[in-house]
Amino acid sequence: MSKSKERQLKIKDLIMEIWEESQHLYGAPKITAKLRKMGIQISERTVGKYMKELKIRAKYCKPFTVTTRDSNFE
């Protein structure tokens, strides 16, 4: 196996590990940041490509929005 293929497999394992740790919340930007902290030089686009190959996606959490307000409060 070539060195680049070995590196690719290692990175894919790390991506899967980080994604599992985040309870499937992290996407490519956060995973890239974690990998860079570990000393691995990689682009966000490459992480996204690997995630697509692994068929994993970040879970979208809709932010909480106040839809009703108490009329006496204002």
Side-chain angles (χ1 to χ4, degrees):
M1 192 182 308
S2 68
K3 285 217 184 243
S4 61
K5 197 75 174 163
E6 261 181 52
R7 181 179 187 269
Q8 198 177 50
L9 288 172
K10 181 184 168 201
I11 290 173
K12 282 183 181 181
D13 286 342
L14 285 170
I15 289 171
M16 198 64 147
E17 195 177 299
I18 293 167
W19 184 71
E20 289 286 340
E21 273 177 28
S22 75
Q23 285 140 13
H24 309 185
L25 292 176
Y26 284 7
K30 285 187 180 177
I31 291 175
T32 304
K34 279 246 184 189
L35 289 171
R36 286 181 180 162
K37 273 187 181 177
M38 296 164 95
I40 297 167
Q41 198 172 8
I42 192 165
S43 73
E44 193 176 302
R45 192 179 175 129
T46 306
V47 172
K49 187 179 82 172
Y50 289 166
M51 284 178 74
K52 205 171 225 177
E53 286 174 16
L54 293 165
K55 293 180 175 72
I56 59 175
R57 298 179 71 179
K59 204 185 292 177
Y60 176 72
C61 294
K62 190 175 178 187
F64 177 77
T65 333
V66 176
T67 55
T68 52
R69 296 210 167 107
D70 188 5
S71 58
N72 298 328
F73 189 67
E74 293 179 89

